[in-house]
Amino acid sequence: MAASGKIIQNVFIAKCNQENRQTQYPYSAPHMRKKLPFHGGKSAWNGISSMRLVNLSKYRRSSLNRGIVRCNAASTATAVPALDKADFLKLQNGSDIRGVAVAGVEGEPVNLTEPVTEAIAAAFVAWLGDKKKADKHLRISIGHDSRISAQMLQDAVSRGIASAGYDVVQYGLASTPAMFNSTLTEDDSYLCPVDGSIMITASHLPYNRNGFKFFTNAGGLGKPDIKDILERAADIYKNFTAEGLSESRIKAFTSVKRVDYMTVYTSDLVKAVRRAAGNIEKPLEGFHIVVDAGNGAGGFFAAKVLEPLGAVTSGSQFLEPDGLFPNHIPNPEDKAAMKAITQAVLDNKADLGIIFDTDVDRSAAVDFSGREFNRNRLIALMSAIILEEHPGTTIVTDSVTSDGLTTFIEKKLGGKHHRFKRGYKNVIDEAIRLNSIGEESHLAIETSGHGALKENHWLDDGAYLMVKLLNKLASARASGLGGGSKVLTDLVEGLEEPAVAVELRLKINQTHADLKGGSFQDYGEAVLKHLENSIDADPKLRKAPVNYEGVRVSGFGGWFLLRLSLHDPVLPLNIEAPSHDDAVKLGLLVSAAVKEFAALDTSALDKFVQSA
Ligand SMILES: O=P(O)(O)OC[C@H]1O[C@H](O)[C@H](O)[C@@H](O)[C@@H]1O
């Protein structure tokens, strides 16, 4: 982005930490009974210090090549460069918006600036106004995860909404599912329900990124809605003037309120477990459960959900929000993250471990013996619980689930496995579609740890998934089945798991001459077509009879799936097999079929097949 264009004076001078945040908000409604508990930078969650920038000096020492960390927009003047529609459309990431919000990482220039953010927020409310054909005042909630750019973006989002004349309700540190929930909650004293909601998050991505997820009471927005919003944002941005922007700052002063909505959300989770246990006040008494929030937004689960239910949570780790994620990536798909929670369970001799991603829409667990409930095992466990409640129901999953999972769901549990596409929105929408055509489905879940239940408004909520496990623990205890998490471990008994499971990501070089000026999507499709033809000619192999994306093939006792990534110029290759040699045989087949595609970087695959 060129640094030309208008210069706008910032009225909000966000700080590097949250101390004195109260005084930063002269527009906080002093009469609000349920204000966020910011007191001297403490206790966003009970007993946990609030979001802050910690260890910056340590961070700088260890990351010299990443340059200077930009404290939350501490500059007092913002350059507004000229941008066109294409720049805005680049911010689309499926059904989310994602960009770079913090400078300092080489090759990753900031594209989620304050004015861009303000334009996107204004575009969202314009879109919402059209959708709702609203003649009334719309009310929008805003929450954020622990990222260091959260305050800057929250201020800019607030200005964008306020400038459109709508009311802003800030929740502070929050989870993505809580934000959707705020469109459904009926409680005027918390200014709910809101008409729309914005979560500021980039999930598990590095500290310099950030982004937005949008909700209405119909759920998360889809890809076409996001495109529409970004196009509108580009038009709004074009018309920004210095006067207009300073006017939006004045409006923000009068129309922003702060509410401690996480109290409502967490007490709903607590009530759900109590109800399932027959209205016992402390149904988890005697259980020791450790939580790993990876310094994201999920720390609330220990103090605000587990402890009121009677569980001991000592040994829980990384509950403090820290946008530099100094301990591990908050992502249940990350091996180091899973190792950390497993170790915590074993060290503390806990009954159960629970881990969340940054914004708590994904989760995984670990049993008393250190066995993970993650990926296929988490899906198997959730399927067992849901199929007890709804015998015969269809479980919708993503495309990289194992053959063993299908056998488990269909033969052991008596359900139906509908293996669909990758992408949480895809599986949720598919489950909703199945119900609409008369096929009952109560669970849509991905190996990534995204999972949504019909009983919970199809909201993909990592915390609610864990509540379902807690219900099982509590009800087993209530019916005298003993303690510990063995009741969960027993539920997945019989699930066949492959000895080898790998994911190799093959990049498409978009500037390579072999693309002949075409798109990486077209190139990827050509690779897939070629692979499919080569499989047809091999009698030892069998193409999956029903398949919704890519090429899925069984052979050598295992299977592989090559498909186009949802977002990146990448062909992810998943292989599962009974032995490393069999996995290599499958890898060699793919390798032979794709070798003439010069723009495909097969180095990860080459390395794998050479490791036989
Ligand atoms: O297609 P990929 O690049 O493997 O990414 C697929 C994943 O993208 C995002 O992380 C979504 O939140 C997931 O729901 C999805 O499964």
Side-chain angles (χ1 to χ4, degrees), residues 93 96 98 203-204 213 333 361-362 398 422-425 446 448 450 503 505 549 563-568 570 572:
N93 179 67
D96 304 335
R98 291 204 182 147
S203 192
H204 60 279
K213 295 185 179 189
E333 285 191 291
D361 55 5
R362 294 191 288 131
D398 64 326
R422 192 94 165 116
Y424 69 94
K425 189 86 176 102
E446 263 204 307
S448 63
H450 278 287
E503 178 169 299
R505 297 181 71 88
E549 67 177 342
R563 66 182 175 94
L564 248 174
S565 156
L566 245 50
H567 322 285
D568 306 321
V570 163

Side-chain angles (χ1 to χ4, degrees), residues 464-480:
Y464 195 82
L465 279 193
M466 293 300 110
V467 156
K468 292 297 282 183
L469 306 194
L470 301 180
N471 288 350
K472 196 72 206 161
L473 291 184
S475 59
R477 157 73 56 85
S479 56

Side-chain angles (χ1 to χ4, degrees), residues 125-238:
V125 288
W127 173 89
L128 191 64
D130 285 355
K131 192 104 189 150
K132 297 213 170 221
K133 301 194 177 32
D135 43 9
K136 71 166 188 135
H137 223 55
L138 293 181
R139 197 193 276 157
I140 313 294
S141 60
I142 311 173
H144 60 76
D145 68 18
S146 56
R147 283 163 195 284
I148 60 174
S149 52
Q151 295 302 317
M152 167 192 82
L153 295 186
Q154 180 185 254
D155 290 347
V157 168
S158 301
R159 292 196 297 269
I161 297 167
S163 64
Y166 296 136
D167 289 339
V168 178
V169 191
Q170 295 180 347
Y171 294 168
L173 190 64
S175 73
T176 293
M179 299 314 292
F180 172 41
N181 231 53
S182 69
T183 67
L184 304 172
T185 302
E186 301 277 346
D187 189 339
D188 210 36
S189 64
Y190 282 91
L191 304 176
C192 282
V194 294
D195 300 287
S197 183
I198 302 179
M199 177 66 180
I200 302 170
T201 182
S203 192
H204 60 279
L205 293 186
Y207 78 96
N208 65 325
R209 319 286 181 80
N210 217 329
F212 310 109
K213 295 185 179 189
F214 303 92
F215 300 95
T216 67
N217 58 5
L221 269 52
K223 273 187 187 180
D225 305 322
I226 298 298
K227 185 163 179 264
D228 183 348
I229 286 168
L230 286 170
E231 282 171 350
R232 288 170 189 250
D235 292 339
I236 291 170
Y237 184 92
K238 237 181 253 157

Side-chain angles (χ1 to χ4, degrees), residues 8-285:
I8 290 111
Q9 295 303 311
N10 275 346
V11 169
F12 287 10
I13 303 173
K15 291 192 170 179
C16 282
N17 61 46
Q18 293 251 36
E19 285 170 15
N20 303 324
R21 198 64 200 156
Q22 209 86 305
T23 56
Q24 288 276 309
Y25 284 82
Y27 48 80
S28 289
H31 61 277
M32 291 299 298
R33 281 186 289 124
K34 284 117 184 170
K35 280 183 300 193
L36 280 170
F38 280 133
H39 297 300
K42 278 279 173 194
S43 95
W45 317 126
N46 289 350
I48 303 166
S49 62
S50 72
M51 195 187 99
R52 69 213 161 100
L53 272 180
V54 290
N55 294 337
L56 258 185
S57 52
K58 179 188 87 184
Y59 164 78
R60 285 207 180 102
R61 270 203 310 278
S62 64
S63 335
L64 283 176
N65 59 345
R66 286 192 277 180
I68 297 162
V69 173
R70 195 167 144 231
C71 297
N72 302 319
S75 63
T76 53
T78 305
V80 182
L83 293 175
D84 58 27
K85 224 159 244 181
D87 294 310
F88 274 83
L89 290 176
K90 276 184 206 141
L91 295 169
Q92 176 155 15
N93 179 67
S95 49
D96 304 335
I97 286 176
R98 291 204 182 147
V100 178
V102 176
V105 176
E106 212 183 312
E108 296 190 12
V110 172
N111 57 3
L112 212 52
T113 61
E114 290 178 73
V116 164
T117 299
E118 201 166 324
I120 290 171
F124 170 60
V125 288
W127 173 89
L128 191 64
D130 285 355
K131 192 104 189 150
K132 297 213 170 221
K133 301 194 177 32
D135 43 9
K136 71 166 188 135
H137 223 55
L138 293 181
R139 197 193 276 157
I140 313 294
S141 60
I142 311 173
H144 60 76
D145 68 18
S146 56
R147 283 163 195 284
I148 60 174
S149 52
Q151 295 302 317
M152 167 192 82
L153 295 186
Q154 180 185 254
D155 290 347
V157 168
S158 301
R159 292 196 297 269
I161 297 167
S163 64
Y166 296 136
D167 289 339
V168 178
V169 191
Q170 295 180 347
Y171 294 168
L173 190 64
S175 73
T176 293
M179 299 314 292
F180 172 41
N181 231 53
S182 69
T183 67
L184 304 172
T185 302
E186 301 277 346
D187 189 339
D188 210 36
S189 64
Y190 282 91
L191 304 176
C192 282
V194 294
D195 300 287
S197 183
I198 302 179
M199 177 66 180
I200 302 170
T201 182
S203 192
H204 60 279
L205 293 186
Y207 78 96
N208 65 325
R209 319 286 181 80
N210 217 329
F212 310 109
K213 295 185 179 189
F214 303 92
F215 300 95
T216 67
N217 58 5
L221 269 52
K223 273 187 187 180
D225 305 322
I226 298 298
K227 185 163 179 264
D228 183 348
I229 286 168
L230 286 170
E231 282 171 350
R232 288 170 189 250
D235 292 339
I236 291 170
Y237 184 92
K238 237 181 253 157
N239 294 321
F240 271 170
T241 61
E243 298 76 48
L245 286 169
S246 47
E247 223 171 83
S248 78
R249 286 179 208 116
I250 294 159
K251 277 192 187 145
F253 271 85
T254 58
S255 59
V256 176
K257 299 199 169 62
R258 310 200 81 204
V259 164
D260 178 17
Y261 179 75
M262 286 303 282
T263 292
V264 181
Y265 170 76
T266 51
S267 80
D268 283 351
L269 296 179
V270 168
K271 277 185 217 148
V273 181
R274 284 187 181 142
R275 214 174 22 245
N279 293 318
I280 303 169
E281 178 74 8
K282 293 190 182 288
L284 297 180
E285 199 135 51

Side-chain angles (χ1 to χ4, degrees), residues 291-299 317-319 328 330 354-358:
V291 176
D292 183 329
N295 303 103
Q317 58 194 12
F318 318 138
L319 303 182
H328 60 68
I354 289 178
I355 183 164
F356 296 111
D357 76 337
T358 321

